[in-house]
Amino acid sequence: HSPHLGLLLLGNFHTVPAGVSTMKRVSVQRGGSVTIPCFYGDGYETHVKYWCRGYNVSSCTPIVHSDSPQEGKVSIRDDPDQRVFTVTINNLTAGDSDYVCYYSVCSGSPWLSVDKQEVTGVEGDSVSVQYHYTDDYGQRMWCKFGGSCAAVNSGSLDGRPVLIRDDRVNKVFSVTMRGLERKDTGWYWCDIGVVQIPVHITVKHFTVQMHLRTQLFGPVFLYVGLGLLVLLLIIVIIAWKVWDKHSEYLLMQTVYK
């Protein structure tokens, strides 16, 4: 049986006894769900990973294992190629804050939230991510795991053009990554100092078929729609003319009688 890879979440991307690193603290709304990436180093690809309640790796209570990936509202998925396993918890309650020390469950609006935790883009295109925060805790940062961080006016993240806007009136922090490449696939997060929210971006390979669907199918659907509309109009006109002729015939029959 493979040794277990434990998970104690202590600090911002803090490395714990089994070499796992993850977010420091995530704020989630009660009743919602959250997916947390947990990164590990070389040599642990075949080890069993588990999500555990408690602060001591030798005595914490396992909740779900990667070799039995679903337990109630908690599920775990391991990606050995990327050396990351993700834990998803659904229907969060206040009691779930006791799982580990890094995320809290709020009855009201969470300190920081994101529209989608899974975002997909295409090579050469762009993707946008929007975060919402409740209070001004300081400078917002956009970071990539294993890379660097960028703030408003930074202009780039690890050489990738990035546009970051911070609307402090509406409390919206938005990030747009442009000129995507396949290597941009990975985990990112927004950091407002007291909490973080992870987001996974997948960049798909650009293909000729994809280009044709965009350039051809769009106009085709438009023309088909217009054609059906014209056909419907013609049918209505013909039906109206037939009914008019029929009404005229009935009227003439009445007069001759």
Side-chain angles (χ1 to χ4, degrees):
H1 186 67
S2 299
H4 284 69
L5 179 61
L7 174 60
L8 286 178
L9 303 164
L10 304 169
N12 185 22
F13 284 105
H14 181 87
T15 301
V16 296
V20 180
S21 55
T22 187
M23 319 304 297
K24 177 173 61 178
R25 185 175 186 181
V26 177
S27 181
V28 187
Q29 190 168 12
R30 181 181 295 174
S33 63
V34 65
T35 298
I36 303 297
C38 306
F39 305 92
Y40 54 89
D42 291 332
Y44 292 103
E45 290 85 351
T46 60
H47 290 214
V48 176
K49 286 72 175 186
Y50 66 97
W51 175 258
C52 137
R53 183 195 298 268
Y55 304 103
N56 190 328
V57 71
S58 63
S59 61
C60 65
T61 303
I63 303 299
V64 62
H65 298 257
S66 59
D67 53 357
S68 180
Q70 181 76 42
E71 180 62 41
K73 62 183 182 179
V74 185
S75 61
I76 186 171
R77 180 168 56 90
D78 186 22
D79 184 352
D81 293 335
Q82 300 298 322
R83 294 196 300 276
V84 57
F85 66 96
T86 54
V87 177
T88 299
I89 308 175
N90 298 303
N91 192 26
L92 287 155
T93 64
D96 291 327
S97 296
D98 298 330
Y99 272 120
V100 286
C101 63
Y102 82 112
Y103 74 89
S104 60
V105 179
C106 309
S107 57
S109 298
W111 293 339
L112 180 66
S113 61
V114 66
D115 293 340
K116 294 188 298 182
Q117 274 196 280
E118 296 281 343
V119 180
T120 302
V122 179
E123 282 180 309
D125 207 344
S126 63
V127 292
S128 295
V129 182
Q130 276 198 336
Y131 293 90
H132 305 270
Y133 55 92
T134 56
D135 291 295
D136 194 344
Y137 298 102
Q139 187 179 37
R140 259 72 52 193
M141 303 290 290
W142 170 251
C143 308
K144 181 178 183 180
F145 177 77
S148 58
C149 295
V152 177
N153 300 324
S154 295
S156 66
L157 177 67
D158 294 338
R160 175 69 53 245
V162 58
L163 176 63
I164 300 176
R165 291 193 178 97
D166 190 4
D167 183 350
R168 300 197 174 209
V169 175
N170 296 305
K171 295 183 172 58
V172 176
F173 180 78
S174 60
V175 179
T176 300
M177 293 181 61
R178 298 170 172 168
L180 293 170
E181 297 181 10
R182 293 290 296 280
K183 64 182 181 181
D184 294 324
T185 294
W187 282 95
Y188 298 77
W189 78 94
C190 175
D191 191 331
I192 64 172
V194 293
V195 293
Q196 302 83 34
I197 287 286
V199 169
H200 188 268
I201 294 178
T202 301
V203 181
K204 292 186 176 181
H205 179 59
F206 180 84
T207 63
V208 175
Q209 291 83 355
M210 191 176 296
H211 177 72
L212 289 175
R213 281 199 297 269
T214 303
Q215 300 299 318
L216 179 62
F217 286 0
V220 166
F221 288 139
L222 176 61
Y223 295 145
V224 169
L226 289 174
L228 290 174
L229 183 60
V230 171
L231 180 61
L232 179 61
L233 183 60
I234 292 173
I235 292 174
V236 170
I237 293 174
I238 293 174
W240 177 76
K241 286 185 175 294
V242 170
W243 174 254
D244 187 57
K245 290 290 185 182
H246 182 67
S247 299
E248 184 180 345
Y249 172 77
L250 291 178
L251 179 61
M252 290 177 63
Q253 292 284 19
T254 305
V255 169
Y256 282 118
K257 285 181 180 178

